Amino acid sequence: PILTVDRDRLYQASAFGQRVAQELEARGALLSSENRQIELELEQEEKVLTQQRETLSAEEFRDLADAFDAKVTQTRQAQSAKNRELNQELDQQQLIFLQAAGSVLEELMREAGAVVVLDRRDVFLSLDAIDITTAAILRIDASLGAGAPLPATGD
């Protein structure tokens, strides 16, 4: 016998996956808010720089403009790095989940006398009777629960 599992639903509907999604969504919202605040500050700084243009020599203005451009570039890179960190954290948490879920899926496979569990997306046609996603979620929640909270960020 062959069993199937909806890998996405397995993760997203589990207590673990829902906790991670909530925590990362909250961090993403904070990052978006921070990005908006930085954008406003940079816009204000650019306005001040534009106003100073008339009172400065071309060389002085160019130095200030170059410094501002460097600051904008550095800020964008820093914020992009924070966004990448969020995505990496999601990938890491999904891997942790799948490693923990492996033993539960193996147990369900043995109980059913199956020889393989396939991702439902890779199956062209099947009966719903071979899908063990719901049973797996219930058992994973019972054994893993929501898991540990994500580590705090340095920001």
Side-chain angles (χ1 to χ4, degrees):
I2 295 173
L3 300 175
T4 62
V5 67
D6 182 332
R7 183 176 167 170
D8 292 337
R9 189 168 74 91
L10 182 69
Y11 178 75
Q12 293 168 359
S14 71
F16 186 100
Q18 290 175 5
R19 176 197 48 85
V20 170
Q22 288 172 352
E23 289 182 27
L24 291 179
E25 185 176 318
R27 287 185 184 181
L30 284 173
L31 182 57
S32 291
S33 176
E34 182 180 314
N35 286 340
R36 285 189 298 277
Q37 182 62 38
I38 289 170
E39 183 180 324
L40 291 172
E41 290 170 6
L42 289 173
E43 286 175 4
Q44 185 61 36
E45 192 173 333
E46 183 179 30
K47 285 179 184 177
V48 169
L49 184 61
T50 301
Q51 291 169 353
Q52 290 177 332
R53 183 178 203 162
E54 296 179 20
T55 63
L56 298 172
S57 70
E59 186 177 308
E60 289 174 317
F61 178 76
R62 176 56 41 215
D63 289 343
L64 290 175
D66 288 345
F68 177 74
D69 287 343
K71 179 180 179 178
V72 169
T73 299
Q74 181 181 12
T75 301
R76 284 183 181 153
Q77 289 172 347
Q79 295 307 104
S80 291
K82 290 177 185 180
N83 194 48
R84 282 191 304 277
E85 286 175 21
L86 282 179
N87 290 329
Q88 289 170 347
E89 185 67 42
L90 175 61
D91 291 344
Q92 182 180 3
Q93 292 300 312
Q94 287 175 336
L95 182 61
I96 289 168
F97 173 80
L98 290 175
Q99 288 171 342
S103 61
V104 171
L105 294 173
E106 186 177 330
E107 182 181 307
L108 287 167
M109 184 175 70
R110 280 195 208 128
E111 288 174 9
V115 293
V116 68
V117 177
L118 300 174
D119 188 327
R120 191 170 175 114
R121 295 176 296 188
D122 295 328
V123 176
F124 180 70
L125 184 64
S126 72
L127 297 174
D128 286 339
I130 67 169
D131 187 290
I132 59 169
T133 305
T134 301
I137 292 168
L138 293 171
R139 287 198 190 179
I140 290 167
D141 283 353
S143 66
L144 183 60
L150 297 176
T153 61
D155 296 317

